[in-house]
């Protein structure tokens, strides 16, 4: 006979009244040290102090009774009424909306300043930026444009010309003029581009795919230390969506790609 069988046999010999499924009686401070109380009885309710530091060694099980749910609901209601700081979901939602509107107004005012405080812009933009302000906010936070308003237009024009000059130099060239590494890079990008955001029809358009391929390839060639790796294509999509919406003034889901000039997609 195994040890487990021996233990079972010994258990049933010494405890003939124990039947599987029987609710074990317990003792608690509410019933006295020698008075048993069945589990779930209304009188059994142990305080938080008892749970933290039990003082009665006769307590075999400490638990909170759920036999009368109205008690818990009433206590919660009392706590809500006695705590003015705890507002209802409706009032909380209205308060959050007011705070959000105030933050957006501050953001608009900040962006109109002759010199934008970038640290303050970071704080205001941390919780999100509305679509209408996202383009300029991202350019400033990424240091693509200077904080000084007088220098932005000239800086943007210069950088757009620099990128346009990279297209015939790096992208629109004969395959034989590419190095073996560049050929591998070119093929990998053209494999990844069609798989970018397949759920959005915009990224299945030839013009958009060509633009994305150009951006990724020129980035990879101009940054050999990091180069292009799978996943960078997904990082580029938020920028494409944001700046297309900004330039067209149309929501991305209703944007007609044919209305976008090739020149605009090249800059």
């Amino acid at each position: 006979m195994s040890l487990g069988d021996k233990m079972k046999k010994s258990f049933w010999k010494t405890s003939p009244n124990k039947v599987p499924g029987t609710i074990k009686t317990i003792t608690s401070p509410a019933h006295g040290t020698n008075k048993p109380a069945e589990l779930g009885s209304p009188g059994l309710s142990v305080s938080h102090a008892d749970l933290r530091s039990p003082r009665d060694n006769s307590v075999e099980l400490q638990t909170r009774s759920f036999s009368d749910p109205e008690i818990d609901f009433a206590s919660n209601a009392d706590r809500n009424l006695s705590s003015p700081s705890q507002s209802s979901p409706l009032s909380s939602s209205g308060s959050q909306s007011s705070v959000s509107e105030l933050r957006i107004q501050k953001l608009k005012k900040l962006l109109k300043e002759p010199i934008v405080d970038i640290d303050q812009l970071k704080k205001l933009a941390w919780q999100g930026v509305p679509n209408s302000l996202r383009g300029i906010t991202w350019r400033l936070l990424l240091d693509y444009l200077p904080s000084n308003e007088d220098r932005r237009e000239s800086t943007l024009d210069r950088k757009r010309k620099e990128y346009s000059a990279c297209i015939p130099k790096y992208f629109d060239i004969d395959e034989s003029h590419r190095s073996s590494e560049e050929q591998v890079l070119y093929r990998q990008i053209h494999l990844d581009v069609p798989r970018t955001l397949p759920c959005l029809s915009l990224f299945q358009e030839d013009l958009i795919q060509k633009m994305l391929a150009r951006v990724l390839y020129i980035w990879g060639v101009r940054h050999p230390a990091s180069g292009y790796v799978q996943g960078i294509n997904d990082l580029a999509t938020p920028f494409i969506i944001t700046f297309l919406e900004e330039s067209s003034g149309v929501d991305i889901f209703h944007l007609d790609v044919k209305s976008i000039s090739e020149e605009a997609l090249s800059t």
Side-chain angles (χ1 to χ4, degrees), residues 25-46 50 56 58-65 67:
T25 58
I26 60 175
T27 57
S28 70
H31 294 78
T33 56
N34 297 320
K35 185 177 180 180
E38 291 188 0
L39 183 63
S41 62
L44 178 57
S45 178
V46 182
D50 292 328
D56 193 338
S58 66
V59 177
E60 299 180 14
L61 177 63
Q62 295 178 332
T63 181
R64 180 178 294 275
S65 172
S67 59

Side-chain angles (χ1 to χ4, degrees), residues 25 72 100 132 154 161 244:
T25 58
D72 290 332
S100 178
S132 59
S154 60
K161 288 179 178 178
L244 281 179

Side-chain angles (χ1 to χ4, degrees), residues 193-213 236-248 250-260 265:
V193 165
R195 297 182 292 202
T196 303
L197 280 186
C199 59
L200 194 58
S201 60
L202 176 73
F203 284 87
Q204 306 310 310
E205 298 283 349
D206 291 338
L207 284 175
I208 301 298
Q209 289 189 356
K210 186 177 181 180
M211 176 189 64
L212 179 58
T237 55
F239 294 96
I240 293 174
I241 292 173
T242 295
F243 296 131
L244 281 179
E245 286 185 337
E246 181 188 59
S247 62
S248 65
V250 180
D251 182 86
I252 201 69
F253 295 101
H254 301 93
L255 178 63
D256 183 6
V257 179
K258 296 178 181 178
S259 64
I260 308 173
L265 294 175

